[in-house]
Amino acid sequence: MSEAPPATMESGPSKRHLFELESVEAAAPVEVSKNGQVWIITFTDLVALMLTFFVLMFSMSRIDQVQWQNLTDALSRSLDQIAEPREPKPAKQLDIQRIAYRPGGDLDYLSAVLADHMADHDALTSVFLARRTRQLIIALPSELLFKQVEGTEVIDPEGRRALFVIGGLVGKLGNRVEVAGHHLSDQTRSKRSDWLQSLRRAEMVAEVLTATGYDETILVRGYGTSQDHQIADLDEEQFQRLADRIYIIVHSDAGEAP
């Protein structure tokens, strides 16, 4: 009988080990493939996101104006309801328009020329000059200008000569002129009569100034006895002399600008 071969220990792997080894070998190609191409998934997601972003930008660049206006109106109404109450404003802004005046001649020059003429003409010896900020006032006593002729008051020839000298000088400058009449208070007459008398005298003086060649509009005023306080500081003789007076007021401008 032949001897049975001696039992030996198998040095190779067992069946269990072989199964595990086969499982590992079978899975290895999958693991290698995953590690080599995983970036494609990230790249695809990135391209998709970029495409979505540009589509969104393109859609926003072409806004429907009607729908946008409806949206803004709706939001405005909603915000106005929660906003603080506003004070009502007038529909129109009303304001007084400022009047522009044309520049006139130098009043200091006119005052100096009149002072020289007052020294040379007897008709101007009783004339008074008063310089204000924008005015030159030429005060003439009524006794120089007026006289009674058959119950009617007219311009005295001596007063007419004085007015012609003044009107000739004022007319050359072209400044705006105003004539104001003042009347001495008389207890026998009413204030209305004093006012009418002062206004009538101012109109007569304005007519003479126009006759001298002054072609601008002359403003005429009658004050009656309401301005006697202006000469209250004078002595009695001067007050009585100037209470009945005519003011020729020469302004620094030449009237309203066109």
Side-chain angles (χ1 to χ4, degrees):
M1 293 182 61
S2 58
E3 295 179 359
T8 58
M9 296 290 294
E10 294 182 356
S11 59
S14 64
K15 291 182 178 181
R16 180 179 179 182
H17 291 166
L18 289 174
F19 177 77
E20 293 177 355
L21 180 60
E22 289 177 357
S23 300
V24 171
E25 290 178 353
V30 177
E31 184 176 349
V32 172
S33 176
K34 181 179 179 180
N35 292 335
Q37 299 179 1
V38 69
W39 61 272
I40 296 178
I41 300 175
T42 304
F43 178 78
T44 304
D45 293 340
L46 177 61
V47 172
L49 289 174
M50 292 181 65
L51 181 61
T52 304
F53 173 77
F54 286 115
V55 171
L56 179 62
M57 292 291 293
F58 178 77
S59 63
M60 292 179 64
S61 64
R62 303 183 63 179
I63 301 175
D64 190 338
Q65 297 294 332
V66 176
Q67 294 183 0
W68 177 258
Q69 187 63 40
N70 293 337
L71 176 61
T72 56
D73 293 343
L75 291 175
S76 298
R77 288 192 296 268
S78 300
L79 294 176
D80 288 341
Q81 293 178 359
I82 62 176
E84 296 182 359
R86 299 177 181 179
E87 296 182 1
K89 296 183 179 180
K92 294 183 179 180
Q93 189 68 28
L94 302 179
D95 195 5
I96 299 176
Q97 186 177 3
R98 185 175 182 179
I99 300 176
Y101 290 94
R102 295 178 286 116
D106 189 358
L107 295 182
D108 292 330
Y109 167 77
L110 177 61
S111 179
V113 173
L114 281 173
D116 292 340
H117 281 73
M118 288 167 59
D120 298 335
H121 293 76
D122 294 338
L124 299 177
T125 55
S126 58
V127 175
F128 295 88
L129 300 178
R131 183 71 167 89
R132 293 183 179 176
T133 304
R134 296 183 179 180
Q135 296 175 344
L136 175 64
I137 299 178
I138 307 171
L140 300 95
S142 296
E143 62 182 15
L144 169 67
L145 297 175
F146 306 104
K147 69 175 183 178
Q148 293 288 334
V149 176
E150 298 179 355
T152 303
E153 194 170 52
V154 296
I155 298 290
D156 186 85
E158 191 73 10
R160 186 178 296 272
R161 283 192 292 270
L163 292 176
F164 263 81
V165 173
I166 296 172
L169 296 174
V170 173
K172 292 179 181 179
L173 292 181
N175 290 38
R176 182 163 54 98
V177 174
E178 174 183 345
V179 179
H182 301 267
H183 197 269
L184 177 63
S185 178
D186 190 343
Q187 300 297 330
T188 62
R189 295 194 303 265
S190 64
K191 291 185 177 181
R192 175 178 174 80
S193 298
D194 292 335
W195 174 77
L196 289 174
Q197 181 75 357
S198 63
L199 181 61
R200 188 179 301 111
R201 287 178 172 180
E203 290 176 345
M204 295 169 63
V205 172
E207 291 176 358
V208 176
L209 292 177
T210 302
T212 63
Y214 183 81
D215 54 359
E216 300 291 338
T217 302
I218 300 177
L219 179 63
V220 177
R221 301 179 187 271
Y223 290 98
T225 61
S226 62
Q227 303 295 315
D228 286 349
H229 62 275
Q230 294 180 348
I231 57 174
D233 296 337
L234 300 179
D235 56 44
E236 184 65 22
E237 181 180 356
Q238 290 179 326
F239 180 86
Q240 291 296 328
R241 187 180 183 185
L242 287 178
D244 263 357
R245 64 196 184 278
I246 295 292
Y247 280 171
I248 299 177
I249 305 172
V250 184
H251 295 268
S252 59
D253 60 85
E256 295 184 13

